[in-house]
């Protein structure tokens, strides 16, 4: 198998693009896709971005590429206190912070709330992933706004988006269906802007990029992940992709087109029906936001705070 660009030995075949590439040309191809996605969909709008990092391949790849493309981006990491998994993922995040010489804000749930994410889930009477989602959303939003950044970037890839979309369609969860987008706009200075620059890059491409760029990421999945359904959806979509290359990207791009048409007809916003938390001033569905209710129920005297890990000072 030869590289379609330079004729050297290829390391990856990309059926969706009907091409095969060597390591160097694959790196250029992948970076160009991310750069184009950012430009075409105005993901950054010249703002100062911050990347939500977990230690996994997607978020670390995103963080690395942005800095390589000349976009100075710092990171946010939530330490969930899940034993070895959290220790290892924090180590990978710090290692990347050192490689890029960028700052990362760390929110340590055990330190601040006094419980790890499983303990928090029990207090909130939610499953761990739901509690985790709430804490991460709060922390991303708050760090972004408090520390003067303009947009939070996350590492969601094409497979994540296609499988979520597929699941929403299968069960016709209309409430969720039209909420997926490449960006979520800033609202009233209390809800930060969000964007997903890897939206059109598949999981396989992202993993290949991470490997050829020697990005040291955590291979293990979070031990609390039970989302068996999304794995099945990913498998089904990969099966379809094998028979008909390019289906996943057409599915997601088609959705984006439909969404654009829909938006032209109705005004919609994630902050709809949202008020302001009487304690912290950030968005809330009731008098107090879910994070402030959690802090009240946990017997902690701590205030919400972030550790600033600065490789230059470490
Ligand atoms: S980190 Fe958090 Fe995931 Fe672990 S607890 Fe669930 S949501 S599975 S991506
Ligand atoms: Zn609050």
């Amino acid at each position: 198998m030869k590289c379609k660009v330079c004729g050297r030995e290829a390391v990856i075949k990309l059926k969706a693009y009907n091409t095969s590439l060597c390591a160097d040309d694959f790196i250029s191809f992948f970076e160009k896709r991310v750069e184009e996605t950012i430009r075409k969909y105005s993901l950054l709008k010249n703002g100062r971005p911050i990347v939500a990092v977990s230690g996994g391949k997607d978020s670390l790849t995103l963080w690395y590429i942005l800095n390589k493309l000349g976009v100075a981006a710092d990171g946010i990491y939530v330490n969930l206190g899940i034993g070895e998994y959290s220790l290892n993922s924090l180590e990978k995040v710090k290692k990347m912070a050192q490689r890029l010489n960028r700052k990362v804000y760390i929110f340590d749930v055990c330190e601040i709330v006094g419980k790890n994410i499983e303990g928090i889930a029990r207090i909130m009477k939610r499953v761990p992933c739901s509690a985790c989602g709430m804490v991460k959303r709060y922390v991303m939003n708050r760090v972004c706004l408090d520390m003067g950044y303009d947009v939070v970037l996350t590492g969601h890839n094409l497979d994540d988006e296609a499988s979520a979309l597929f699941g929403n369609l299968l069960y016709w969860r209309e409430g969720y269906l039209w909420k997926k987008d490449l960006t979520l706009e800033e609202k009233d200075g209390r809800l930060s802007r969000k964007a997903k620059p890897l939206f059109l890059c598949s999981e396989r491409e992202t993993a290949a990029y991470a490997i050829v760029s020697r990005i040291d990421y955590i291979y293990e999945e979070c031990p609390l992940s039970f989302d068996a359904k999304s794995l099945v959806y990913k498998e089904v979509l990969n099966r379809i992709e094998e028979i008909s290359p390019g289906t996943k990207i057409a599915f997601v791009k088609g959705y984006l087109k439909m969404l654009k048409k829909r938006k032209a007809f109705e005004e919609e916003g994630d902050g709809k029906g949202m008020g302001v938390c009487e304690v912290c001033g950030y968005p809330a569905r009731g008098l107090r936001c879910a994070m402030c209710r959690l802090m009240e129920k946990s017997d902690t005297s701590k205030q919400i705070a972030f550790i600033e890990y600065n490789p230059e000072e470490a």
Side-chain angles (χ1 to χ4, degrees), residues 80 82 85 117 128-133 136 221-226:
L80 300 166
I82 315 174
Y85 170 78
I117 199 65
C129 289
S130 156
C132 175
K136 282 182 177 169
E221 291 289 329
C222 166
L224 303 181
S225 158
F226 309 98

Side-chain angles (χ1 to χ4, degrees), residues 138 277 280 289 292:
Y138 186 91
C277 170
C280 70
C289 74
C292 288

